[in-house]
Amino acid sequence: MTIVELKKMMIKAKKEDKVKANALMMLVDTAQKIAKEKNEDVNEKHITEAAKKLSKMAKESIEAGMSEAEKELKVYEEFLPKMLSEEETTKIIKEIIEEIGGKNIGEIMKRLKQRGDVDMGLANKIIKSL
């Protein structure tokens, strides 16, 4: 997904769904800010990073009782990579532990973060339980 495609989706959504349009506008804006901070042109990595950030904020809003945030969260989740299941995450963690020859939590988390498809909160719980 490019920033241009994202902007086209936003314009189309303005006619159909104001909440989706606003969520997409926030996504575009956040992705552009992230790219600007890194002195880069906006790419898919920035859009994904923005979606992660905004998803977290939407979840916090839902917990605070803001029901419209549920719609926003669904929009952001479309731009997130599919996260691995608990079983898949456990398998990968065990492989990393075997590869590095020990349970160095910092190194394990660093490698998992590079993947981008691992829920870090879940990974932390799994590592502690092993």
Side-chain angles (χ1 to χ4, degrees):
M1 170 78 48
T2 66
I3 195 74
V4 174
E5 292 169 327
L6 193 57
K7 286 179 179 179
K8 285 179 185 176
M9 282 177 67
M10 180 183 72
I11 292 167
K12 185 180 176 190
K14 279 184 180 179
K15 296 175 186 130
E16 301 162 10
D17 184 346
K18 296 288 183 206
V19 175
K20 183 175 181 178
N22 286 336
L24 290 170
M25 186 170 63
M26 288 288 294
L27 188 61
V28 167
D29 186 49
T30 305
Q32 288 175 329
K33 283 180 184 173
I34 290 169
K36 187 175 181 181
E37 287 170 8
K38 296 179 180 180
N39 230 3
E40 299 172 349
D41 290 332
V42 181
N43 61 38
E44 199 164 335
K45 181 181 80 176
H46 300 116
I47 294 169
T48 302
E49 194 175 327
K52 283 181 185 176
K53 186 176 186 177
L54 293 168
S55 293
K56 185 176 180 184
M57 289 170 56
K59 286 175 186 172
E60 290 169 359
S61 296
I62 292 167
E63 287 173 14
M66 298 172 65
S67 59
E68 68 273 5
E70 289 178 26
K71 257 184 146 176
E72 292 174 4
L73 180 60
K74 286 182 180 150
V75 172
Y76 303 138
E77 286 177 340
E78 291 177 36
F79 298 92
L80 294 175
K82 185 186 173 310
M83 297 305 215
L84 297 176
S85 69
E86 187 170 347
E87 295 79 32
E88 293 168 317
T89 303
T90 303
K91 181 180 178 233
I92 289 167
I93 290 170
K94 286 179 178 177
E95 288 172 2
I96 292 171
I97 289 171
E98 196 174 297
E99 194 177 300
I100 64 175
K103 196 171 148 184
N104 179 337
I105 294 175
E107 179 64 22
I108 295 168
M109 295 300 269
K110 183 177 141 192
R111 289 182 183 212
L112 292 174
K113 197 170 192 170
Q114 289 172 346
R115 290 181 56 95
D117 60 354
V118 176
D119 179 332
M120 298 307 283
L122 174 64
N124 195 21
K125 288 178 191 169
I126 293 169
I127 292 168
K128 287 179 180 176
S129 72
L130 291 176

Short mmCIF file of all heavy atoms in Angstrom, two decimals, residues 7-47:
data_model
loop_
_atom_site.label_atom_id
_atom_site.label_comp_id
_atom_site.label_asym_id
_atom_site.label_seq_id
_atom_site.Cartn_x
_atom_site.Cartn_y
_atom_site.Cartn_z
N LYS A 7 -4.46 7.73 0.33
CA LYS A 7 -5.18 9.00 0.19
C LYS A 7 -6.43 8.83 -0.69
O LYS A 7 -7.47 9.42 -0.42
CB LYS A 7 -4.27 10.07 -0.40
CG LYS A 7 -3.25 10.59 0.60
CD LYS A 7 -2.34 11.64 -0.02
CE LYS A 7 -1.34 12.18 0.98
NZ LYS A 7 -0.45 13.18 0.38
N LYS A 8 -6.33 7.99 -1.73
CA LYS A 8 -7.50 7.72 -2.58
C LYS A 8 -8.59 7.03 -1.77
O LYS A 8 -9.77 7.35 -1.92
CB LYS A 8 -7.10 6.85 -3.78
CG LYS A 8 -6.33 7.59 -4.84
CD LYS A 8 -5.95 6.67 -5.99
CE LYS A 8 -5.08 7.38 -7.01
NZ LYS A 8 -4.62 6.48 -8.08
N MET A 9 -8.20 6.07 -0.92
CA MET A 9 -9.17 5.39 -0.06
C MET A 9 -9.85 6.40 0.88
O MET A 9 -11.05 6.33 1.10
CB MET A 9 -8.48 4.33 0.82
CG MET A 9 -8.16 3.04 0.12
SD MET A 9 -7.27 1.90 1.20
CE MET A 9 -8.50 1.52 2.43
N MET A 10 -9.08 7.33 1.39
CA MET A 10 -9.59 8.34 2.31
C MET A 10 -10.63 9.22 1.60
O MET A 10 -11.71 9.47 2.14
CB MET A 10 -8.44 9.19 2.83
CG MET A 10 -8.83 10.28 3.80
SD MET A 10 -7.42 11.28 4.29
CE MET A 10 -7.09 12.20 2.79
N ILE A 11 -10.32 9.66 0.39
CA ILE A 11 -11.24 10.52 -0.36
C ILE A 11 -12.53 9.77 -0.67
O ILE A 11 -13.63 10.32 -0.52
CB ILE A 11 -10.56 11.04 -1.66
CG1 ILE A 11 -9.44 12.02 -1.28
CG2 ILE A 11 -11.58 11.68 -2.59
CD1 ILE A 11 -8.49 12.36 -2.41
N LYS A 12 -12.41 8.51 -1.06
CA LYS A 12 -13.60 7.70 -1.35
C LYS A 12 -14.43 7.50 -0.08
O LYS A 12 -15.66 7.57 -0.13
CB LYS A 12 -13.16 6.34 -1.91
CG LYS A 12 -14.30 5.47 -2.35
CD LYS A 12 -13.82 4.15 -2.89
CE LYS A 12 -15.00 3.26 -3.22
NZ LYS A 12 -14.60 1.90 -3.53
N ALA A 13 -13.78 7.29 1.04
CA ALA A 13 -14.49 7.04 2.30
C ALA A 13 -15.23 8.29 2.79
O ALA A 13 -16.24 8.17 3.49
CB ALA A 13 -13.51 6.55 3.37
N LYS A 14 -14.76 9.48 2.42
CA LYS A 14 -15.41 10.71 2.86
C LYS A 14 -16.87 10.75 2.44
O LYS A 14 -17.71 11.30 3.14
CB LYS A 14 -14.68 11.95 2.31
CG LYS A 14 -13.46 12.33 3.09
CD LYS A 14 -12.85 13.61 2.56
CE LYS A 14 -11.62 13.96 3.38
NZ LYS A 14 -10.97 15.18 2.89
N LYS A 15 -17.17 10.16 1.29
CA LYS A 15 -18.53 10.16 0.77
C LYS A 15 -19.40 9.11 1.46
O LYS A 15 -20.62 9.24 1.50
CB LYS A 15 -18.52 9.90 -0.74
CG LYS A 15 -17.82 10.97 -1.53
CD LYS A 15 -17.72 10.61 -2.99
CE LYS A 15 -16.88 11.64 -3.72
NZ LYS A 15 -15.84 11.08 -4.53
N GLU A 16 -18.76 8.04 1.96
CA GLU A 16 -19.51 6.90 2.47
C GLU A 16 -19.53 6.79 3.99
O GLU A 16 -20.54 6.45 4.58
CB GLU A 16 -18.93 5.60 1.89
CG GLU A 16 -18.95 5.56 0.37
CD GLU A 16 -18.00 4.51 -0.19
OE1 GLU A 16 -17.48 3.70 0.58
OE2 GLU A 16 -17.81 4.51 -1.42
N ASP A 17 -18.39 7.01 4.63
CA ASP A 17 -18.26 6.72 6.05
C ASP A 17 -17.30 7.71 6.70
O ASP A 17 -16.09 7.61 6.53
CB ASP A 17 -17.75 5.27 6.20
CG ASP A 17 -17.67 4.81 7.64
OD1 ASP A 17 -17.74 5.66 8.56
OD2 ASP A 17 -17.51 3.60 7.86
N LYS A 18 -17.85 8.65 7.45
CA LYS A 18 -17.03 9.72 8.05
C LYS A 18 -16.02 9.18 9.05
O LYS A 18 -14.89 9.66 9.11
CB LYS A 18 -17.93 10.76 8.75
CG LYS A 18 -18.84 11.51 7.81
CD LYS A 18 -18.08 12.49 6.97
CE LYS A 18 -19.04 13.28 6.10
NZ LYS A 18 -18.43 13.78 4.90
N VAL A 19 -16.40 8.16 9.84
CA VAL A 19 -15.48 7.61 10.85
C VAL A 19 -14.29 6.96 10.15
O VAL A 19 -13.14 7.17 10.53
CB VAL A 19 -16.19 6.60 11.78
CG1 VAL A 19 -15.21 5.94 12.73
CG2 VAL A 19 -17.30 7.28 12.57
N LYS A 20 -14.57 6.19 9.09
CA LYS A 20 -13.49 5.54 8.34
C LYS A 20 -12.60 6.60 7.68
O LYS A 20 -11.38 6.48 7.68
CB LYS A 20 -14.06 4.60 7.28
CG LYS A 20 -13.00 3.84 6.52
CD LYS A 20 -13.59 2.83 5.56
CE LYS A 20 -12.49 2.07 4.85
NZ LYS A 20 -13.00 1.05 3.94
N ALA A 21 -13.22 7.62 7.12
CA ALA A 21 -12.46 8.69 6.47
C ALA A 21 -11.53 9.38 7.48
O ALA A 21 -10.36 9.64 7.18
CB ALA A 21 -13.41 9.70 5.84
N ASN A 22 -12.05 9.66 8.68
CA ASN A 22 -11.22 10.30 9.70
C ASN A 22 -10.09 9.39 10.15
O ASN A 22 -8.97 9.84 10.36
CB ASN A 22 -12.07 10.72 10.91
CG ASN A 22 -12.92 11.94 10.62
OD1 ASN A 22 -12.61 12.73 9.74
ND2 ASN A 22 -14.01 12.08 11.35
N ALA A 23 -10.37 8.08 10.28
CA ALA A 23 -9.34 7.12 10.68
C ALA A 23 -8.24 7.06 9.61
O ALA A 23 -7.05 7.04 9.94
CB ALA A 23 -9.95 5.74 10.90
N LEU A 24 -8.64 7.05 8.35
CA LEU A 24 -7.66 7.02 7.26
C LEU A 24 -6.85 8.31 7.21
O LEU A 24 -5.65 8.29 6.95
CB LEU A 24 -8.35 6.76 5.92
CG LEU A 24 -8.92 5.34 5.74
CD1 LEU A 24 -9.79 5.27 4.49
CD2 LEU A 24 -7.81 4.32 5.68
N MET A 25 -7.51 9.43 7.50
CA MET A 25 -6.81 10.71 7.52
C MET A 25 -5.75 10.71 8.63
O MET A 25 -4.62 11.16 8.42
CB MET A 25 -7.81 11.86 7.75
CG MET A 25 -7.19 13.22 7.63
SD MET A 25 -8.43 14.56 7.62
CE MET A 25 -9.15 14.37 9.24
N MET A 26 -6.11 10.16 9.79
CA MET A 26 -5.14 10.05 10.90
C MET A 26 -3.98 9.14 10.50
O MET A 26 -2.83 9.42 10.82
CB MET A 26 -5.83 9.49 12.15
CG MET A 26 -6.77 10.45 12.82
SD MET A 26 -5.91 11.77 13.68
CE MET A 26 -5.07 10.86 14.95
N LEU A 27 -4.29 8.07 9.79
CA LEU A 27 -3.27 7.12 9.36
C LEU A 27 -2.29 7.79 8.38
O LEU A 27 -1.08 7.66 8.52
CB LEU A 27 -3.93 5.89 8.72
CG LEU A 27 -3.03 4.72 8.38
CD1 LEU A 27 -2.36 4.16 9.64
CD2 LEU A 27 -3.85 3.61 7.72
N VAL A 28 -2.83 8.51 7.42
CA VAL A 28 -1.99 9.23 6.45
C VAL A 28 -1.10 10.23 7.19
O VAL A 28 0.12 10.28 6.99
CB VAL A 28 -2.86 9.98 5.40
CG1 VAL A 28 -2.04 10.97 4.60
CG2 VAL A 28 -3.55 8.98 4.47
N ASP A 29 -1.71 11.02 8.06
CA ASP A 29 -0.98 12.05 8.78
C ASP A 29 0.13 11.44 9.66
O ASP A 29 1.27 11.91 9.64
CB ASP A 29 -1.96 12.85 9.65
CG ASP A 29 -1.31 14.04 10.32
OD1 ASP A 29 -0.63 14.81 9.61
OD2 ASP A 29 -1.47 14.20 11.55
N THR A 30 -0.20 10.40 10.39
CA THR A 30 0.78 9.77 11.28
C THR A 30 1.91 9.13 10.48
O THR A 30 3.08 9.25 10.85
CB THR A 30 0.08 8.73 12.19
OG1 THR A 30 -0.99 9.37 12.88
CG2 THR A 30 1.04 8.14 13.19
N ALA A 31 1.58 8.46 9.38
CA ALA A 31 2.61 7.84 8.54
C ALA A 31 3.56 8.90 7.98
O ALA A 31 4.78 8.71 7.94
CB ALA A 31 1.97 7.04 7.41
N GLN A 32 3.00 10.04 7.56
CA GLN A 32 3.83 11.12 7.03
C GLN A 32 4.75 11.70 8.11
O GLN A 32 5.91 11.99 7.84
CB GLN A 32 2.95 12.22 6.43
CG GLN A 32 2.30 11.79 5.13
CD GLN A 32 1.32 12.82 4.58
OE1 GLN A 32 0.68 13.55 5.33
NE2 GLN A 32 1.19 12.84 3.27
N LYS A 33 4.23 11.84 9.33
CA LYS A 33 5.05 12.36 10.43
C LYS A 33 6.19 11.40 10.75
O LYS A 33 7.32 11.83 10.97
CB LYS A 33 4.19 12.59 11.67
CG LYS A 33 3.34 13.83 11.60
CD LYS A 33 2.50 14.00 12.84
CE LYS A 33 1.60 15.20 12.71
NZ LYS A 33 0.65 15.30 13.83
N ILE A 34 5.89 10.11 10.79
CA ILE A 34 6.91 9.09 11.09
C ILE A 34 8.00 9.14 10.02
O ILE A 34 9.19 9.12 10.33
CB ILE A 34 6.28 7.69 11.20
CG1 ILE A 34 5.42 7.59 12.47
CG2 ILE A 34 7.36 6.60 11.20
CD1 ILE A 34 4.54 6.35 12.54
N ALA A 35 7.60 9.21 8.76
CA ALA A 35 8.57 9.26 7.66
C ALA A 35 9.41 10.53 7.73
O ALA A 35 10.62 10.49 7.53
CB ALA A 35 7.84 9.17 6.32
N LYS A 36 8.76 11.64 8.05
CA LYS A 36 9.48 12.92 8.12
C LYS A 36 10.52 12.89 9.24
O LYS A 36 11.64 13.38 9.07
CB LYS A 36 8.49 14.06 8.35
CG LYS A 36 9.12 15.42 8.27
CD LYS A 36 8.09 16.52 8.39
CE LYS A 36 8.76 17.88 8.27
NZ LYS A 36 7.80 18.96 8.40
N GLU A 37 10.16 12.30 10.40
CA GLU A 37 11.10 12.19 11.52
C GLU A 37 12.35 11.39 11.12
O GLU A 37 13.44 11.68 11.60
CB GLU A 37 10.43 11.50 12.72
CG GLU A 37 9.43 12.35 13.45
CD GLU A 37 8.62 11.57 14.47
OE1 GLU A 37 8.91 10.38 14.73
OE2 GLU A 37 7.66 12.16 15.01
N LYS A 38 12.15 10.42 10.24
CA LYS A 38 13.26 9.57 9.81
C LYS A 38 13.93 10.10 8.54
O LYS A 38 14.81 9.47 7.99
CB LYS A 38 12.76 8.14 9.59
CG LYS A 38 12.27 7.49 10.87
CD LYS A 38 11.75 6.11 10.63
CE LYS A 38 11.28 5.50 11.95
NZ LYS A 38 10.77 4.16 11.78
N ASN A 39 13.42 11.25 8.05
CA ASN A 39 13.95 11.85 6.84
C ASN A 39 13.84 10.90 5.64
O ASN A 39 14.80 10.76 4.87
CB ASN A 39 15.39 12.31 7.06
CG ASN A 39 15.60 13.73 6.62
OD1 ASN A 39 14.66 14.40 6.20
ND2 ASN A 39 16.83 14.18 6.68
N GLU A 40 12.71 10.25 5.50
CA GLU A 40 12.48 9.28 4.42
C GLU A 40 11.18 9.61 3.71
O GLU A 40 10.35 10.36 4.23
CB GLU A 40 12.38 7.85 5.00
CG GLU A 40 13.61 7.37 5.73
CD GLU A 40 13.43 6.05 6.45
OE1 GLU A 40 12.29 5.57 6.58
OE2 GLU A 40 14.44 5.50 6.88
N ASP A 41 11.01 9.04 2.51
CA ASP A 41 9.74 9.13 1.82
C ASP A 41 8.81 8.10 2.44
O ASP A 41 9.24 7.02 2.85
CB ASP A 41 9.90 8.83 0.32
CG ASP A 41 10.66 9.94 -0.40
OD1 ASP A 41 10.60 11.10 0.05
OD2 ASP A 41 11.32 9.64 -1.42
N VAL A 42 7.51 8.42 2.48
CA VAL A 42 6.54 7.51 3.11
C VAL A 42 6.49 6.20 2.32
O VAL A 42 6.36 6.19 1.11
CB VAL A 42 5.14 8.14 3.15
CG1 VAL A 42 4.15 7.21 3.81
CG2 VAL A 42 5.17 9.48 3.87
N ASN A 43 6.61 5.09 3.04
CA ASN A 43 6.47 3.78 2.41
C ASN A 43 5.59 2.90 3.29
O ASN A 43 5.06 3.35 4.31
CB ASN A 43 7.85 3.14 2.15
CG ASN A 43 8.64 2.92 3.43
OD1 ASN A 43 8.10 2.56 4.47
ND2 ASN A 43 9.95 3.13 3.35
N GLU A 44 5.45 1.66 2.88
CA GLU A 44 4.56 0.73 3.58
C GLU A 44 4.96 0.52 5.03
O GLU A 44 4.10 0.37 5.91
CB GLU A 44 4.53 -0.62 2.83
CG GLU A 44 3.34 -1.46 3.19
CD GLU A 44 3.08 -2.58 2.20
OE1 GLU A 44 3.48 -2.47 1.04
OE2 GLU A 44 2.46 -3.56 2.63
N LYS A 45 6.25 0.54 5.30
CA LYS A 45 6.75 0.37 6.66
C LYS A 45 6.22 1.49 7.57
O LYS A 45 5.80 1.23 8.70
CB LYS A 45 8.28 0.38 6.64
CG LYS A 45 8.95 0.19 7.99
CD LYS A 45 10.46 0.24 7.88
CE LYS A 45 10.88 1.70 7.82
NZ LYS A 45 12.30 1.94 7.79
N HIS A 46 6.18 2.71 7.07
CA HIS A 46 5.70 3.84 7.85
C HIS A 46 4.18 3.73 8.09
O HIS A 46 3.70 4.07 9.17
CB HIS A 46 6.01 5.17 7.15
CG HIS A 46 7.48 5.38 6.94
ND1 HIS A 46 8.02 5.45 5.68
CD2 HIS A 46 8.51 5.49 7.80
CE1 HIS A 46 9.33 5.63 5.79
NE2 HIS A 46 9.65 5.64 7.07
N ILE A 47 3.47 3.26 7.08
CA ILE A 47 2.02 3.09 7.21
C ILE A 47 1.72 2.03 8.26
O ILE A 47 0.84 2.21 9.11
CB ILE A 47 1.38 2.74 5.84
CG1 ILE A 47 1.53 3.92 4.88
CG2 ILE A 47 -0.08 2.35 6.01
CD1 ILE A 47 1.19 3.63 3.44
#
